[in-house]
Structures are given as structure tokens and as C-alpha cells.
Amino acid sequence: VKKSTAKNKFGERPLLTVMARITARKGQEKKVRNALRALIAPTRREKGCVDYELHAAHDNPRAFLFYENWHSKPHLDKHLRQPHLVEFDQAVKGLLASPVEITLWKRFA
């Protein structure tokens, strides 16, 4: 498989942007926040990770968002199989109000 070397007008390769929305059950905010924070350092060290930023909603202490950029979908796929993600899934079992909502985006301008 030939890798694309296409670049945008800024000389950058296209990125895959991920938005991951996480909502804690009422009363579980602190545990979920701590589990989310534990993902940051190991993820930022992964090959293909451009940035990995955790946000908390301004008006809802139960709502969190990861804004991520990856060099490619295969890098993201590998990330999703990492031990720290498996550990996160176990750590938050029963603590989330709904499943993690993940959407993929591509920069086009």
C-alpha cells in the first residue's frame, strides 16, 4: 500500500481529528476525570499522535471531551487497542451515563 504524501496549502499532511465525548454518571465525575487524565501521558507518547487534549464542559461537570489529532486512521486504530485504553474501559465500567461517543473528522480547508 502506497502512503499518501499529499500536503495541504500549509505544507502539512492531512490529519484525522477525533472528538470523543464522555459523560459521567451523577456523583462519578471525579473517578471518571481521574481515569481520563491517566490516558493523556501514555497516549501523547504514541506514534502518530499529534495532540490529545482533554476538555471539561464549562456548564456541566459530568461532561468531558477529548480533542485528538492523529497522522492516520491506522495510528488511531492502534491507539484504540493500547493497554491503557483497555484499562480505562475497565476503570469506568458502570461510571458512565452513556457509551463514549466518538466521531472522526478530516480537515478540508
Side-chain angles (χ1 to χ4, degrees):
V1 176
K2 185 177 178 182
K3 271 187 151 179
S4 172
T5 57
K7 296 184 179 187
N8 64 22
K9 67 181 179 178
F10 304 107
E12 301 165 335
R13 289 183 27 218
L15 297 176
L16 176 65
T17 299
V18 177
M19 301 278 199
R21 297 175 57 103
I22 303 97
T23 305
R25 286 188 186 273
K26 188 172 183 175
Q28 301 301 322
E29 301 90 338
K30 186 175 181 179
K31 289 178 184 176
V32 172
R33 183 182 308 110
N34 289 339
L36 291 168
R37 283 184 176 149
L39 295 173
I40 296 170
T43 298
R44 286 180 178 168
R45 289 191 297 266
E46 289 179 47
K47 184 176 180 180
C49 179
V50 176
D51 54 17
Y52 192 76
E53 303 296 329
L54 178 60
H55 301 266
H58 180 70
D59 59 350
N60 181 354
R62 296 172 42 220
F64 303 93
L65 172 83
F66 267 117
Y67 173 82
E68 314 167 25
N69 282 298
W70 295 88
H71 282 297
S72 70
K73 179 77 163 61
H75 285 111
L76 172 62
D77 292 342
K78 186 173 181 181
H79 162 66
L80 294 173
R81 295 187 305 269
Q82 292 299 308
H84 53 274
L85 266 287
V86 174
E87 291 167 11
F88 170 79
D89 286 342
Q90 293 301 314
V92 298
K93 196 168 287 252
L95 303 180
L96 302 182
S98 58
V100 176
E101 177 190 332
I102 298 174
T103 55
L104 305 182
W105 303 78
K106 62 182 178 179
R107 183 170 45 193
F108 67 93

